[in-house]
């Protein structure tokens, strides 16, 4: 495991498989997305993007909360609309940087994820939660509708379920989050790491190029009409099929043997 020197707010480590682990490390502030935390996250995501051998990212947190959203004390100390526009734009850049990463991003959720913290979970490609976790977009409780968290939330769960959470501020359990599609699976807290590792192993068994092409296409087609989505998907599948990883995979299937991918595709 190689440790990459971080800001104190964020621990960044990379293992020999190319798995980057970003751990929110501000438990006293419930891992709030302060200006400093957003800066640390952006730097870490940029480092992952620059790593040609990266295979996956796990976003985790220390303490009772996964992430309590934006730092309200910091926001209240700067009552200026230009400051708020800049803050939310910075948060959006972080969320979109996660979307643009070529590798899968997994949220490891051990506790409370609220407002922009819930947004962070929703923005990840996959999520595994402890049965002790809970989720909410409760800015409305302080008079602030969670508009930006609602963008990611509404792309994970059904509109009326998202609106109920946004309008009432009520929290849902980890099991409810799983049933609604916000997280992939829920496990007891003592096996959370083991479940994340099982998911990682399944991802690492697949060629990097195919995962990268698939992730890019998946999100592009979501934002288009059906006909355009099929056109994008067809182009993506043609490029994927022409790539050597698919050629080898299909040949291995025909020959009833395991595929042999290059080291860069399959560490």
């Amino acid at each position: 495991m190689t440790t990459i020197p971080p800001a104190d707010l964020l621990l960044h480590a990379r293992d020999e498989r190319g798995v980057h682990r970003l751990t929110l490390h501000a438990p006293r502030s419930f891992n709030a997305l302060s200006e400093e935390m957003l800066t640390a996250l952006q730097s870490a995501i940029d480092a992952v993007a620059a790593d040609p051998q990266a295979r996956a990212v796990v976003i985790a947190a220390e303490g009772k909360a996964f992430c309590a959203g934006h730092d309200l004390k910091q926001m209240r100390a700067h009552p200026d609309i230009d400051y708020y526009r800049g803050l939310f734009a910075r948060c959006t850049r972080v969320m979109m940087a996660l979307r643009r990463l070529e590798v899968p991003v997994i949220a490891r959720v051990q506790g409370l994820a609220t407002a922009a913290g819930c947004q962070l979970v929703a923005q990840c490609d996959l999520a595994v939660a402890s049965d002790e976790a809970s989720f909410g977009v409760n800015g409305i409780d302080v008079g602030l509708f969670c508009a930006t968290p609602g963008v990611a939330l509404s792309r994970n769960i059904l509109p009326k379920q998202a609106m109920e959470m946004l309008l009432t501020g009520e929290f849902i359990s980890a099991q409810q989050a799983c049933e609604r599609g916000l997280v992939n699976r829920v496990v007891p807290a003592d096996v959370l790491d083991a479940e994340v590792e099982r998911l990682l192993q399944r991802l690492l068994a697949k060629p990097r190029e195919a995962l990268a092409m698939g992730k890019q296409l998946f999100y592009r087609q979501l934002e288009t009409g059906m006909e355009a989505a099929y056109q994008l998907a067809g182009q993506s599948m043609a490029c994927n099929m022409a790539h050597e990883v698919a050629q080898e995979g299909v040949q291995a299937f025909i020959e009833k043997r395991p595929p042999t991918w290059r080291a860069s595709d399959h560490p």
Side-chain angles (χ1 to χ4, degrees), residues 44 55 76 79 92 96-97 119 129 132 139 160 247:
R55 291 302 313 273
R76 186 64 184 89
T92 294
M96 292 306 298
Q119 177 185 3
E132 298 174 359
K160 282 186 170 56
Q247 291 290 309

Side-chain angles (χ1 to χ4, degrees), residues 45 59 66 91-100 104-107 116-127 148-153 155-156 182 215 219 223:
I45 296 166
I59 297 182
F66 174 76
C91 185
T92 294
R93 284 194 294 273
V94 168
M95 300 297 167
M96 292 306 298
L98 290 173
R99 170 69 60 88
R100 295 187 183 107
V105 181
I106 304 172
C118 186
Q119 177 185 3
L120 181 59
V121 176
Q123 193 66 62
C124 292
D125 304 307
L126 302 166
T148 46
V151 172
L153 184 67
R155 283 162 171 74
N156 280 240
L182 181 57
K215 175 174 174 176
Y219 291 118
E223 305 301 326

Side-chain angles (χ1 to χ4, degrees), residues 10 18-19 46 60 66-67 78 82 90 95 98 116 128-129 138 141 146 157 203 236 259 265:
L10 185 75
V19 176
D46 290 345
F66 174 76
C67 178
H78 298 85
D82 288 334
R90 180 183 296 184
M95 300 297 167
L98 290 173
V128 180
N138 62 326
D141 291 343
C146 282
I157 70 176
L203 296 173
S236 178
D265 305 321

Side-chain angles (χ1 to χ4, degrees), residues 240-253 257 261:
N240 194 163
M241 187 60 207
H243 196 284
E244 61 187 286
V245 298
Q247 291 290 309
E248 164 60 16
V250 171
Q251 188 63 34
F253 176 81
R257 62 172 174 80
W261 285 306

Side-chain angles (χ1 to χ4, degrees), residues 30-50:
F30 301 103
N31 299 308
L33 295 182
S34 62
E35 293 180 67
E36 296 79 10
M37 182 69 85
L38 288 171
T39 297
L41 270 172
Q42 185 70 62
S43 295
I45 296 166
D46 290 345
V48 176

Side-chain angles (χ1 to χ4, degrees), residues 60-84:
E62 293 188 358
K64 294 181 179 180
F66 174 76
C67 178
H70 289 291
D71 187 329
L72 294 180
K73 289 183 179 179
Q74 194 175 65
M75 291 171 67
R76 186 64 184 89
H78 298 85
D80 179 83
I81 191 168
D82 288 334
Y83 171 81
Y84 297 142

